[in-house]
Amino acid sequence: LLAITGTYDAYIREDSAQKFWLVNTNKLIRQMQGADGLKTGYTAAAGHCLSASAQRNGIELIAVVLHCASSADRFTAAKALLDYGFANFETCVIAEKGQAIEEIRVENGQPQTLKAVTADRITCLTEKGGKGDISSKAKIDEKVHLPLKKGDKVGVLNVYQGDEKIAEYPLVAEISVEKASFGELAKRLVKKIF
């Protein structure tokens, strides 16, 4: 979507006699560094509106302005919001995609241990200098059902800002785990006894 909404102008139907040139109604695409979308709009009741998105230094922001008096006002207001966001906020990386968070023991599994990993890269937006206030804690499901496939959910990673929980992300199995055979379970029991 951003590849389309971030394009300022383009021809469509180039291979036909009805070649047509389109120009994006979102003027921020040309006026603001990193602007890549999204949608302009107008109705008599809502006035001039804009959902504007932009990316800079790994941060993606969206500003929504409604009921502006003119088209120019909506671009000015959205740009001011986005500039404020980029000047005052930063991305805090909590975990990379596939990062091992906790090791889980599966008593009747083969193998008996696996790692709970993040399904995606986990980030949050914080005020500049506020990264120290962000923490995370894993909560592993009480019961893991076998067989377990790689990528199955095994828990969650809760993200906190101070004492307040601000987000929850899935933790998944790094590998598949089968149910151990009767022979394997008997071997484990004997090993425990001796």
Side-chain angles (χ1 to χ4, degrees):
L1 179 65
L2 292 179
I4 295 167
T5 63
T7 302
Y8 186 73
D9 62 351
Y11 279 98
I12 61 169
R13 298 191 297 256
E14 287 191 75
D15 298 337
S16 76
Q18 297 174 334
K19 186 175 178 179
F20 191 75
W21 184 48
L22 292 176
V23 177
N24 198 329
T25 55
N26 182 356
K27 304 306 177 202
L28 285 186
I29 300 302
R30 277 220 170 144
Q31 296 171 357
M32 182 180 183
Q33 175 200 352
D36 55 12
L38 282 165
K39 179 74 176 89
T40 59
Y42 174 83
T43 67
H48 294 273
C49 305
L50 174 63
S51 296
S53 62
Q55 297 183 42
R56 286 188 202 158
N57 303 320
I59 298 175
E60 296 178 53
L61 297 178
I62 297 174
V64 178
V65 294
L66 307 170
H67 210 272
C68 295
S70 70
S71 181
D73 286 348
R74 69 180 164 193
F75 298 123
T76 301
K79 184 178 183 311
L81 284 171
L82 291 167
D83 283 339
Y84 177 85
F86 288 123
N88 293 283
F89 291 86
E90 62 187 340
T91 299
C92 175
V93 178
I94 295 155
E96 295 295 342
K97 181 178 181 174
Q99 183 174 326
I101 301 297
E102 197 161 310
E103 190 166 271
I104 303 172
R105 185 163 177 82
V106 185
E107 204 58 44
N108 295 331
Q110 181 63 31
Q112 277 187 287
T113 60
L114 72 130
K115 291 180 180 156
V117 300
T118 53
D120 296 297
R121 185 173 197 247
I122 300 173
T123 64
C124 71
L125 200 62
T126 63
E127 286 189 61
K128 285 194 174 172
K131 288 183 182 181
D133 201 25
I134 302 295
S135 63
S136 62
K137 185 175 181 182
K139 183 176 182 223
I140 303 302
D141 294 344
E142 286 183 27
K143 193 160 190 157
V144 176
H145 298 284
L146 296 174
L148 187 66
K149 291 184 183 136
K150 178 181 177 177
D152 282 353
K153 185 176 172 288
V154 294
V156 294
L157 186 67
N158 293 314
V159 179
Y160 298 89
Q161 186 165 26
D163 294 331
E164 181 186 354
K165 181 179 165 183
I166 58 171
E168 180 178 290
Y169 297 92
L171 293 175
V172 298
E174 183 182 40
I175 58 170
S176 294
V177 178
E178 297 297 325
K179 194 169 187 173
S181 67
F182 178 76
E184 178 63 28
L185 292 173
K187 244 170 50 179
R188 290 177 190 172
L189 182 61
V190 169
K191 196 173 180 182
K192 274 186 189 177
I193 294 171
F194 297 104

